[in-house]
Amino acid sequence: MKRLIVFIKQVPDTAELRIDPKTNTMIRTGVPSIINPFDMYAIEEALRIKEKWGDTEVIVATMGPPQAEEALREALSLGCDKAILLTDRKFAASDTFATSYILSKAVEKIGDYNIILTGKQATDGDTAQVGPGIASWLNIPSITYVKKMIEVKSDYAKIERLMDYGYDIIEIKGKFLMTAIKDLNEPRIPSFRGKMAAKKAEIPNWDAAYIGAEDKNIGFLGSPTRVVKAFSPPPKQGGIKTEGDDIETAKKLIANLKESHLI
Amino acid sequence: MDKRNIIVVGEVNNGNIHHVTYELTSKAAELGERINGYVEVLLLGYSINKEHIKRLFETGADKAIIIDNEKLGLLNDDYFVANIRKVLERENPYIVLTGATPQGRAIIPKLAIKLHAGLTADCTDLDIEAETDLLLQTRPAFGGNLMATIKTPEHTPQMSTVRPKVFKINENYNKKENIENIEFEETNSLIRIIEMIKSEEDNVNLADADIVVSGGRGVGNKENFSIIYDFAKKINGVVGASRAAIDAGWIPYPHQVGQTGQTVSPKLYFAIGISGAIQHQVGMKSSDYIVAINKDTNAPIFNIADYGIVGDLFEIVPKLIKLLD
């Protein structure tokens, strides 16, 4: 049997984030959690590959607190076969170095696989470092920003990767990790049957000891980076506002831009 | 005190050095003055422009380390990681800076793991902590709603990827030319870059643009987007779009600005027919100057626009094009 592993992250829904106008800080309470939008494309692609290949298991996994189980159930409802929750107090405060280590240890515990998929980046941290980081720990190739799968077999793939100048066409032999962007596909919505199955599914919790993660590489102490401070940027405020679409309005805008040396 | 190596891992496209390399070289030279730094620029590429290399010394480099080989003409991540790693292990740098471009974001996270280094992504500010000489790296998270300053106290190198166009290039360093050429080392790779396809359109490099002209739902249909293209051309801008316009199929995905698209911070940003949902705002809020044109006076985009026009884009934009003639 072939196997695909999808790593997802539960993130706050940015659409629901509000800034407290008095304190200029982010209001996080009451903000619903969702699957990181980029990870939805990774899940969808895994399901499509499974449909193409047949005889394939899609395992979805995440690292997080117990409530991250919700995100896994949503992934199961879309059609993933199994879910794993990596959860342990020792994992808390892991930076991208420690997180990619923990996820790579989970891969080793899972065993054999063909492709690891994940989103380009998470919309809370925005680092885009964990995907390539996992590949680095596992010593496998990583292809970032995947926009199209031209061909995908169990031990060979031909892929398009988005770059700033256009895109690259890449061939890969053997197992690899890829990070998905929005161009890749259009995620499906869960079926009723999927939802029912997801509700009942058993989701195993794996801790540090179970995956053999060494203390020196996990959590706060295993993370090379330290947050010195976090702050909200100064609030952006509206400036000039005019009404109308006549020639005078257009002239005023052009004059304003010229005065400000913007054009 | 011994010199502390600061290495800028540069970027070469088609033999040309990317401007972010000069930006980081100048910043490295500035930071280096405070920590007895020695600025080295490492370049991997093919047929690298000699004049471009010379300019590194004007912009702050003490030394350039060059690996010029046909096999580095395309971005095979494995070749880049292995060859950069070899140099970094030999030079034992205190700080490593790279552009937060698709290339930098593909290879640097892999290197950071191999080197057991701390890596901070997409920095928008760098500084030195006075008491410790550590690199202070400031970066946005939550799409710019939160800023975090990060340091790496016990591991070297201290690594950062830095957004292009954040730092200014300083051409006044005039350092002595000092170039070391290193042989490319062949490594095993299971990937092969078959082809690099340039975008059929001249420019969708939104991250690099000084002016971005974006259209949204208000543009109405695919044909109408020509008005956005015309205006962008006239004002030397790059065309962007909101998610609504992308999802409607009016314009391809590489143009998308926002949470599931690109983050841009040009000098001048036009939001035309874009209401300004938070998912769009996180991708463009840090632009220096925002102009919004929208029929709906209550559109949230006006809350962050430096210059808002409540009006019909189909009336106002053609007039702007005409006035720029």
Side-chain angles (χ1 to χ4, degrees):
Chain A
M1 191 169 63
K2 294 172 278 292
R3 188 183 277 148
L4 304 167
I5 302 171
V6 188
F7 283 115
I8 66 171
K9 186 178 185 187
Q10 191 178 46
V11 298
D13 187 352
T14 313
E16 305 292 328
L17 280 180
R18 296 284 176 270
I19 305 295
D20 184 327
K22 281 195 195 109
T23 58
N24 189 34
T25 53
M26 214 164 55
I27 305 167
R28 282 195 245 195
T29 44
V31 177
S33 294
I34 56 168
I35 295 178
N36 170 42
F38 286 107
D39 297 341
M40 294 297 282
Y41 307 111
I43 294 171
E44 177 62 31
E45 202 57 29
L47 297 174
R48 288 184 189 194
I49 295 169
K50 177 190 164 144
E51 284 159 7
K52 207 175 294 172
W53 285 355
D55 190 33
T56 303
E57 176 184 61
V58 177
I59 297 182
V60 61
T62 192
M63 182 183 94
Q67 57 269 32
E69 197 185 285
E70 236 180 283
L72 292 172
R73 289 205 190 274
E74 189 185 339
L76 288 171
S77 76
L78 292 164
C80 295
D81 300 297
K82 282 184 190 161
I84 297 164
L85 177 63
L86 298 154
T87 192
D88 192 321
R89 282 199 185 158
K90 286 181 175 177
F91 294 158
S94 290
D95 71 358
T96 58
F97 179 91
T99 302
S100 56
Y101 170 76
I102 293 163
L103 301 184
S104 75
K105 294 307 282 183
V107 172
E108 286 171 6
K109 191 73 195 177
I110 289 169
D112 208 12
Y113 61 93
N114 300 86
I115 307 173
I116 301 171
L117 304 95
T118 190
K120 168 196 166 192
Q121 65 193 52
T123 53
D124 52 357
D126 291 324
T127 73
Q129 287 175 181
V130 172
I134 299 168
S136 195
W137 281 106
L138 296 170
N139 282 311
I140 58 167
S142 58
I143 310 296
T144 43
Y145 295 22
V146 173
K147 72 186 276 272
K148 192 175 176 186
M149 306 287 275
I150 301 168
E151 206 183 329
V152 56
K153 295 183 188 152
S154 58
D155 58 353
Y156 170 88
K158 199 168 164 186
I159 279 179
E160 286 179 13
R161 162 176 71 184
L162 187 70
M163 298 296 288
D164 42 16
Y165 45 72
Y167 60 93
D168 289 334
I169 301 177
I170 305 177
E171 242 179 12
I172 312 117
K173 284 186 205 135
K175 54 186 63 171
F176 65 99
L177 179 144
M178 57 177 268
T179 73
I181 58 171
K182 182 181 158 180
D183 231 7
L184 190 56
N185 55 48
E186 200 173 311
R188 66 194 65 192
I189 48 169
S191 65
F192 180 71
R193 239 181 69 187
K195 276 187 182 166
M196 294 309 289
K199 236 180 222 170
K200 283 183 279 178
E202 285 277 322
I203 297 181
N205 289 10
W206 290 7
D207 61 12
Y210 188 75
I211 59 173
E214 294 180 64
D215 285 355
K216 66 178 168 75
N217 285 332
I218 64 174
F220 182 75
L221 292 174
S223 298
T225 60
R226 294 275 176 272
V227 177
V228 181
K229 63 170 176 178
F231 57 99
S232 296
K236 179 108 195 168
Q237 267 155 7
I240 303 161
K241 193 172 174 188
T242 65
E243 269 184 55
D245 34 37
D246 53 7
I247 190 77
E248 285 312 309
T249 312
K251 275 184 184 164
K252 271 185 204 155
L253 171 61
I254 298 284
N256 175 283
L257 297 178
K258 281 187 175 158
E259 251 169 56
S260 316
H261 302 288
L262 290 162
I263 54 171
Chain B
M1 183 172 69
D2 281 346
K3 288 270 182 195
R4 285 165 164 157
N5 289 340
I6 304 178
I7 295 193
V8 174
V9 178
E11 183 166 338
V12 179
N13 295 323
N14 271 330
N16 302 317
I17 297 178
H18 193 291
H19 59 79
V20 73
T21 304
Y22 298 110
E23 292 158 17
L24 296 182
T25 302
S26 292
K27 188 67 189 179
E30 182 200 317
L31 295 172
E33 283 164 11
R34 296 163 58 189
I35 54 165
N36 196 26
Y38 184 77
V39 179
E40 301 180 302
V41 180
L42 170 60
L43 289 174
L44 286 78
Y46 178 48
S47 205
I48 306 170
N49 186 313
K50 297 272 183 307
E51 290 304 310
H52 288 192
I53 294 172
K54 273 191 182 150
R55 192 175 167 217
L56 293 171
F57 303 103
E58 292 158 22
T59 55
D62 293 299
K63 183 181 176 181
I65 302 174
I66 313 275
I67 311 179
D68 194 316
N69 188 285
E70 199 178 344
K71 293 216 159 144
L72 298 172
L74 299 170
L75 179 64
N76 179 314
D77 305 40
D78 296 334
Y79 293 162
F80 277 73
V81 169
N83 280 273
I84 295 169
R85 182 181 179 182
K86 212 179 69 176
V87 174
L88 296 185
E89 282 175 347
R90 187 193 76 179
E91 296 297 305
N92 191 23
Y94 181 66
I95 291 171
V96 174
L97 306 178
T98 311
T101 58
Q103 173 168 330
R105 291 173 121 219
I107 57 177
I108 295 300
K110 299 193 90 169
L111 274 161
I113 302 295
K114 302 283 186 222
L115 300 169
H116 200 152
L119 170 61
T120 304
D122 278 25
C123 296
T124 53
D125 198 16
L126 297 175
D127 200 358
I128 299 289
E129 191 174 54
E131 319 80 80
T132 61
D133 280 0
L134 290 171
L135 182 66
L136 294 175
Q137 309 154 102
T138 299
R139 67 178 307 270
F142 289 98
N145 284 314
L146 190 71
M147 304 296 291
T149 301
I150 290 165
K151 66 179 177 183
T152 306
E154 280 154 21
H155 295 261
T156 53
Q158 305 166 72
M159 301 177 76
S160 314
T161 62
V162 181
R163 286 204 182 151
K165 300 237 167 185
V166 166
F167 297 121
K168 298 265 177 294
I169 301 171
N170 178 348
E171 310 267 0
N172 301 318
Y173 279 99
N174 279 318
K175 293 193 177 171
K176 204 173 76 195
E177 198 171 300
N178 177 9
I179 299 172
E180 181 191 1
N181 286 290
I182 293 186
E183 284 291 310
F184 168 71
E185 194 173 294
E186 184 82 53
T187 45
N188 274 336
S189 177
L190 294 167
I191 67 175
R192 191 169 73 89
I193 317 300
I194 303 174
E195 219 182 337
M196 175 179 117
I197 312 278
K198 290 222 161 203
S199 179
E200 62 276 14
E201 291 171 69
D202 293 329
N203 200 347
V204 281
N205 197 347
L206 287 162
D208 267 4
D210 282 329
I211 299 178
V212 173
V213 179
S214 288
R217 196 188 301 274
V219 177
N221 60 48
K222 195 171 181 170
E223 290 66 41
N224 287 350
F225 240 86
S226 62
I227 196 174
I228 302 294
Y229 277 95
D230 290 347
F231 181 48
K233 200 172 165 193
K234 192 59 86 187
I235 203 161
N236 289 321
V238 175
V239 175
S242 71
R243 183 178 134 181
I246 304 289
D247 288 353
W250 301 342
I251 177 167
Y253 171 69
H255 293 275
Q256 186 181 323
V257 172
Q259 186 176 68
T260 50
Q262 297 202 55
T263 302
V264 301
S265 49
K267 293 197 178 82
L268 180 55
Y269 186 91
F270 287 90
I272 302 176
I274 292 176
S275 64
I278 188 151
Q279 290 96 328
H280 187 73
Q281 289 192 17
V282 298
M284 45 66 76
K285 204 159 80 164
S286 60
S287 305
D288 290 348
Y289 199 87
I290 297 166
V291 177
I293 301 171
N294 203 300
K295 271 203 282 204
D296 177 8
T297 186
N298 297 317
I301 193 75
F302 288 120
N303 299 334
I304 62 161
D306 297 283
Y307 199 111
I309 296 178
V310 184
D312 183 354
L313 75 94
F314 297 105
E315 289 293 328
I316 197 90
V317 179
K319 290 180 180 112
L320 293 172
I321 293 172
K322 214 169 203 176
L323 287 168
L324 288 166
D325 259 332

